[in-house]
Amino acid sequence: MITRRHVYSLLLATTCATLHAEDAWWNKDWTQRLKLSLDGSALPGPAGESSLLVRVSDGNLFATAREDGGDLRFVAADGKTVLPHHLERYDPLLGEAFVWVKLPEVKPGPESIHLYFGNPESPAPGAPDQAYGEDLAAVLHFSEKGSPPADATGKGHQATAPAVLTEGALIGGGLRLADGAPVEITATPAIAWAPGKPAAVSLWIKPAALAAEAIVLSRGEGDKAFTLLLEQGVPVLRGGVTLRGTAPLPAAGWSHLALSTDGATLKLHVNGEPVATAAAGLPALDGPLRLGAASSGFAGELDELRLHSAELGAAAVRLAYINQSGGDASLKLLSAGPVEGGAAEGGGHMLEHVMLFGDIANNMMFDGWIAIGVCVLMIIVGWTVAVKKFLYLKRIEKGNREFLRLWKALSSDLTALDHADEKTIRSMGGSMDEEDQELMKDSPLYHIYHIGSEEISHRVTRTGGGGEGLSSRSMQAIRASLDTGLVHENHRLTDGLVFLTISIAGGPYVGLLGTVVGVMITFAIIAKSGEVNVNSIAPGIASALLATVVGLIVAIPALFIYSYLNGRIKNVMSTMQVFIDEFVAKMAEFYRPRNDSSI
């Protein structure tokens, strides 16, 4: 036998099953978290494994997290997987942090992760190089202080020449180059290029000024040299083949450059978009890379130099540009929600609160279930009316928009409308096809127009074509007919809204009645048994109050829905009233009596 308890347990299980895994708290030792929402809708496709930049500027995080940021943890949407990360910069004094987080897959659809913090006793996070995939052969952030730029992937690449680092680049620190002062990056097998092998290079660049020839990056010597340079700001690649950009980069502004090859096709990307392609790969070179040159070198700043041992697809390049740029697109791609307090603060889980409703319902008396049943009936009826009314208003507003478009064209030349011909009335002077006429079935404006046109048609027919015009008394009679049609349309628009007003007014009272009766019965049972303690009173009072809760659940949404629908209905009514005034004025002018010489 299925009891009320079984039904409620089934509903509770269904509700709990719909709770997303990401809402569960990962670890109670961490007291705070931020939800990071990733919107990849701007990507042309999946970007694959990616090291994503997270810019943190929330003051609550720096006030709660450890001073060194060692308690930061990034957890995937499943609520269990801890994502590797690398703190490029963490400055609680300035309230600024740049963190690289490795995601196993970035897709065009929405995704989310959580940033946990607030555990002063947390163990040290994993090694920073784990935040970068195997395809990343070298990553130079240029954020070191007091030491040469080093490879964040841990593969041992380092700048051998003295490098001038600057604060406040695009992402933390940056590298400042001047003409005649190149910086050399050590060579290892990890960054060697071979014929037919995929590889990629990406970096951010900020030229101080546009020069005739400014070498940004080079490798090798003589005929086998590979050079990336700017010619009056236009990016140009020379190395076996020549690739040239389509437009100059802005001076004193940051731009993203990326070269990528699958071994057979070489592509140049500027700010996430492909601008040039050649049927070639990168030349076979394994020597050191030079940033800038001894002569005709680049003058400006560089940031986030990355060398890949795999091809960079269009989605990966686009993701890197948007994510690292720090502009509006970057904020849309990765946005942070408010700081949430965790279970460690004693707030309890939402699931525990839901479970309490099960205990309360188990103590519900028969009278309380009657009140809740009435409230549920009002919800069903009210929401049914609301859905139908939403759909109806959508149809009539669509019809009204189309009618006003046709009327605007017709009212400028009423000679196209022959009120002696029923066909021209229905088709608004021949401007409506069958599809428009089907759409007009639900348009109140068309109904009003048809009423007025029929009234005029009767009078025009009697006068043999309307040559005598329409008197002021006729126009008053026509307006009276239009006002009658307005009233009928108002009744049609507001039909059924009374059920929402019943829910608004009656829901709380029905719930209150259930509560009052439940409290009365509870106290009567206590008086009869003679047991006065919290355990005997609390369950009955709580179950009685549940009826009031349900009554409010009926009334509050109904109030908002009614207000919204009523506002839309008023707009429709106002549009009809304005149309009636315009229609009467147009008809009075068009069918003016012969003896009326007024202008």
mmCIF file of all heavy atoms in Angstrom, residues 353-376:
data_model
loop_
_atom_site.group_PDB
_atom_site.id
_atom_site.type_symbol
_atom_site.label_atom_id
_atom_site.label_comp_id
_atom_site.label_asym_id
_atom_site.label_seq_id
_atom_site.Cartn_x
_atom_site.Cartn_y
_atom_site.Cartn_z
ATOM 1 N N HIS A 353 18.373 20.823 5.245
ATOM 2 C CA HIS A 353 17.154 21.617 5.407
ATOM 3 C C HIS A 353 15.992 20.980 4.658
ATOM 4 O O HIS A 353 14.850 20.981 5.138
ATOM 5 C CB HIS A 353 17.385 23.043 4.876
ATOM 6 C CG HIS A 353 18.370 23.816 5.713
ATOM 7 N ND1 HIS A 353 18.863 25.030 5.334
ATOM 8 C CD2 HIS A 353 18.952 23.537 6.910
ATOM 9 C CE1 HIS A 353 19.702 25.479 6.254
ATOM 10 N NE2 HIS A 353 19.773 24.585 7.211
ATOM 11 N N VAL A 354 16.276 20.441 3.465
ATOM 12 C CA VAL A 354 15.217 19.775 2.711
ATOM 13 C C VAL A 354 14.707 18.563 3.478
ATOM 14 O O VAL A 354 13.501 18.279 3.512
ATOM 15 C CB VAL A 354 15.730 19.377 1.308
ATOM 16 C CG1 VAL A 354 14.691 18.544 0.563
ATOM 17 C CG2 VAL A 354 16.083 20.613 0.495
ATOM 18 N N MET A 355 15.619 17.821 4.109
ATOM 19 C CA MET A 355 15.218 16.636 4.862
ATOM 20 C C MET A 355 14.297 16.987 6.028
ATOM 21 O O MET A 355 13.436 16.186 6.414
ATOM 22 C CB MET A 355 16.464 15.912 5.389
ATOM 23 C CG MET A 355 17.338 15.304 4.300
ATOM 24 S SD MET A 355 16.504 13.988 3.383
ATOM 25 C CE MET A 355 16.323 12.767 4.672
ATOM 26 N N LEU A 356 14.465 18.193 6.590
ATOM 27 C CA LEU A 356 13.611 18.597 7.703
ATOM 28 C C LEU A 356 12.146 18.677 7.279
ATOM 29 O O LEU A 356 11.247 18.409 8.089
ATOM 30 C CB LEU A 356 14.062 19.953 8.257
ATOM 31 C CG LEU A 356 15.370 19.953 9.057
ATOM 32 C CD1 LEU A 356 15.741 21.381 9.443
ATOM 33 C CD2 LEU A 356 15.238 19.088 10.300
ATOM 34 N N PHE A 357 11.904 19.052 6.007
ATOM 35 C CA PHE A 357 10.525 19.122 5.549
ATOM 36 C C PHE A 357 9.868 17.746 5.548
ATOM 37 O O PHE A 357 8.661 17.622 5.709
ATOM 38 C CB PHE A 357 10.468 19.744 4.141
ATOM 39 C CG PHE A 357 10.576 21.244 4.144
ATOM 40 C CD1 PHE A 357 11.806 21.872 4.021
ATOM 41 C CD2 PHE A 357 9.454 22.034 4.275
ATOM 42 C CE1 PHE A 357 11.910 23.251 4.034
ATOM 43 C CE2 PHE A 357 9.538 23.411 4.280
ATOM 44 C CZ PHE A 357 10.770 24.025 4.156
ATOM 45 N N GLY A 358 10.673 16.707 5.361
ATOM 46 C CA GLY A 358 10.116 15.364 5.440
ATOM 47 C C GLY A 358 9.617 15.038 6.832
ATOM 48 O O GLY A 358 8.528 14.477 7.011
ATOM 49 N N ASP A 359 10.424 15.392 7.832
ATOM 50 C CA ASP A 359 10.005 15.150 9.221
ATOM 51 C C ASP A 359 8.765 15.976 9.570
ATOM 52 O O ASP A 359 7.866 15.502 10.268
ATOM 53 C CB ASP A 359 11.149 15.493 10.174
ATOM 54 C CG ASP A 359 12.369 14.608 9.940
ATOM 55 O OD1 ASP A 359 12.172 13.456 9.481
ATOM 56 O OD2 ASP A 359 13.486 15.074 10.194
ATOM 57 N N ILE A 360 8.726 17.217 9.071
ATOM 58 C CA ILE A 360 7.576 18.076 9.364
ATOM 59 C C ILE A 360 6.314 17.504 8.734
ATOM 60 O O ILE A 360 5.237 17.450 9.348
ATOM 61 C CB ILE A 360 7.842 19.510 8.850
ATOM 62 C CG1 ILE A 360 8.988 20.155 9.649
ATOM 63 C CG2 ILE A 360 6.590 20.365 8.952
ATOM 64 C CD1 ILE A 360 9.450 21.481 9.099
ATOM 65 N N ALA A 361 6.431 17.053 7.460
ATOM 66 C CA ALA A 361 5.258 16.527 6.765
ATOM 67 C C ALA A 361 4.746 15.247 7.411
ATOM 68 O O ALA A 361 3.535 14.974 7.399
ATOM 69 C CB ALA A 361 5.592 16.277 5.297
ATOM 70 N N ASN A 362 5.642 14.456 7.991
ATOM 71 C CA ASN A 362 5.217 13.204 8.626
ATOM 72 C C ASN A 362 4.318 13.460 9.835
ATOM 73 O O ASN A 362 3.539 12.584 10.235
ATOM 74 C CB ASN A 362 6.441 12.390 9.049
ATOM 75 C CG ASN A 362 7.175 11.808 7.853
ATOM 76 O OD1 ASN A 362 6.571 11.562 6.818
ATOM 77 N ND2 ASN A 362 8.473 11.603 7.992
ATOM 78 N N ASN A 363 4.432 14.639 10.442
ATOM 79 C CA ASN A 363 3.606 14.984 11.601
ATOM 80 C C ASN A 363 2.356 15.782 11.218
ATOM 81 O O ASN A 363 1.618 16.228 12.085
ATOM 82 C CB ASN A 363 4.432 15.800 12.610
ATOM 83 C CG ASN A 363 5.566 14.987 13.209
ATOM 84 O OD1 ASN A 363 5.334 13.912 13.758
ATOM 85 N ND2 ASN A 363 6.783 15.488 13.101
ATOM 86 N N MET A 364 2.177 15.992 9.890
ATOM 87 C CA MET A 364 1.037 16.771 9.440
ATOM 88 C C MET A 364 -0.271 16.030 9.727
ATOM 89 O O MET A 364 -0.399 14.838 9.473
ATOM 90 C CB MET A 364 1.147 17.045 7.931
ATOM 91 C CG MET A 364 -0.012 17.836 7.347
ATOM 92 S SD MET A 364 0.033 19.591 7.803
ATOM 93 C CE MET A 364 1.454 20.108 6.843
ATOM 94 N N MET A 365 -1.255 16.754 10.260
ATOM 95 C CA MET A 365 -2.560 16.166 10.549
ATOM 96 C C MET A 365 -3.470 16.266 9.327
ATOM 97 O O MET A 365 -3.163 16.974 8.363
ATOM 98 C CB MET A 365 -3.204 16.886 11.734
ATOM 99 C CG MET A 365 -2.386 16.763 13.015
ATOM 100 S SD MET A 365 -3.130 17.657 14.387
ATOM 101 C CE MET A 365 -1.861 17.468 15.635
ATOM 102 N N PHE A 366 -4.601 15.573 9.391
ATOM 103 C CA PHE A 366 -5.493 15.488 8.236
ATOM 104 C C PHE A 366 -6.007 16.853 7.813
ATOM 105 O O PHE A 366 -6.119 17.149 6.623
ATOM 106 C CB PHE A 366 -6.669 14.554 8.580
ATOM 107 C CG PHE A 366 -7.617 14.364 7.446
ATOM 108 C CD1 PHE A 366 -7.290 13.552 6.367
ATOM 109 C CD2 PHE A 366 -8.854 15.018 7.432
ATOM 110 C CE1 PHE A 366 -8.163 13.378 5.312
ATOM 111 C CE2 PHE A 366 -9.723 14.837 6.377
ATOM 112 C CZ PHE A 366 -9.385 14.021 5.305
ATOM 113 N N ASP A 367 -6.332 17.710 8.765
ATOM 114 C CA ASP A 367 -6.834 19.041 8.434
ATOM 115 C C ASP A 367 -5.777 19.861 7.691
ATOM 116 O O ASP A 367 -6.090 20.655 6.800
ATOM 117 C CB ASP A 367 -7.268 19.764 9.706
ATOM 118 C CG ASP A 367 -6.148 19.765 10.742
ATOM 119 O OD1 ASP A 367 -5.969 18.736 11.413
ATOM 120 O OD2 ASP A 367 -5.452 20.802 10.846
ATOM 121 N N GLY A 368 -4.511 19.666 8.071
ATOM 122 C CA GLY A 368 -3.438 20.380 7.384
ATOM 123 C C GLY A 368 -3.305 19.943 5.936
ATOM 124 O O GLY A 368 -3.086 20.761 5.036
ATOM 125 N N TRP A 369 -3.472 18.611 5.692
ATOM 126 C CA TRP A 369 -3.393 18.121 4.326
ATOM 127 C C TRP A 369 -4.555 18.620 3.473
ATOM 128 O O TRP A 369 -4.407 18.810 2.264
ATOM 129 C CB TRP A 369 -3.368 16.589 4.321
ATOM 130 C CG TRP A 369 -2.026 16.028 4.717
ATOM 131 C CD1 TRP A 369 -1.725 15.356 5.853
ATOM 132 C CD2 TRP A 369 -0.821 16.121 3.962
ATOM 133 N NE1 TRP A 369 -0.389 15.019 5.883
ATOM 134 C CE2 TRP A 369 0.194 15.480 4.714
ATOM 135 C CE3 TRP A 369 -0.482 16.675 2.741
ATOM 136 C CZ2 TRP A 369 1.499 15.378 4.277
ATOM 137 C CZ3 TRP A 369 0.833 16.578 2.299
ATOM 138 C CH2 TRP A 369 1.802 15.933 3.065
ATOM 139 N N ILE A 370 -5.703 18.844 4.102
ATOM 140 C CA ILE A 370 -6.830 19.422 3.351
ATOM 141 C C ILE A 370 -6.479 20.832 2.869
ATOM 142 O O ILE A 370 -6.711 21.192 1.711
ATOM 143 C CB ILE A 370 -8.100 19.450 4.224
ATOM 144 C CG1 ILE A 370 -8.588 18.019 4.507
ATOM 145 C CG2 ILE A 370 -9.203 20.256 3.546
ATOM 146 C CD1 ILE A 370 -9.785 17.954 5.425
ATOM 147 N N ALA A 371 -5.905 21.638 3.780
ATOM 148 C CA ALA A 371 -5.511 22.999 3.402
ATOM 149 C C ALA A 371 -4.459 22.971 2.300
ATOM 150 O O ALA A 371 -4.523 23.749 1.327
ATOM 151 C CB ALA A 371 -4.981 23.746 4.629
ATOM 152 N N ILE A 372 -3.485 22.066 2.432
ATOM 153 C CA ILE A 372 -2.440 21.985 1.409
ATOM 154 C C ILE A 372 -3.028 21.512 0.086
ATOM 155 O O ILE A 372 -2.642 21.990 -0.995
ATOM 156 C CB ILE A 372 -1.320 21.040 1.886
ATOM 157 C CG1 ILE A 372 -0.542 21.702 3.029
ATOM 158 C CG2 ILE A 372 -0.380 20.676 0.746
ATOM 159 C CD1 ILE A 372 0.558 20.849 3.609
ATOM 160 N N GLY A 373 -3.994 20.573 0.141
ATOM 161 C CA GLY A 373 -4.645 20.118 -1.089
ATOM 162 C C GLY A 373 -5.353 21.245 -1.811
ATOM 163 O O GLY A 373 -5.278 21.355 -3.045
ATOM 164 N N VAL A 374 -6.062 22.095 -1.046
ATOM 165 C CA VAL A 374 -6.737 23.249 -1.663
ATOM 166 C C VAL A 374 -5.707 24.189 -2.287
ATOM 167 O O VAL A 374 -5.912 24.714 -3.394
ATOM 168 C CB VAL A 374 -7.604 23.979 -0.624
ATOM 169 C CG1 VAL A 374 -8.190 25.259 -1.214
ATOM 170 C CG2 VAL A 374 -8.714 23.073 -0.103
ATOM 171 N N CYS A 375 -4.597 24.403 -1.589
ATOM 172 C CA CYS A 375 -3.544 25.286 -2.118
ATOM 173 C C CYS A 375 -2.947 24.713 -3.396
ATOM 174 O O CYS A 375 -2.682 25.452 -4.357
ATOM 175 C CB CYS A 375 -2.452 25.495 -1.067
ATOM 176 S SG CYS A 375 -2.954 26.494 0.350
ATOM 177 N N VAL A 376 -2.729 23.405 -3.429
ATOM 178 C CA VAL A 376 -2.183 22.775 -4.633
ATOM 179 C C VAL A 376 -3.156 22.931 -5.796
ATOM 180 O O VAL A 376 -2.752 23.201 -6.940
ATOM 181 C CB VAL A 376 -1.875 21.290 -4.364
ATOM 182 C CG1 VAL A 376 -1.549 20.563 -5.664
ATOM 183 C CG2 VAL A 376 -0.725 21.154 -3.382
#
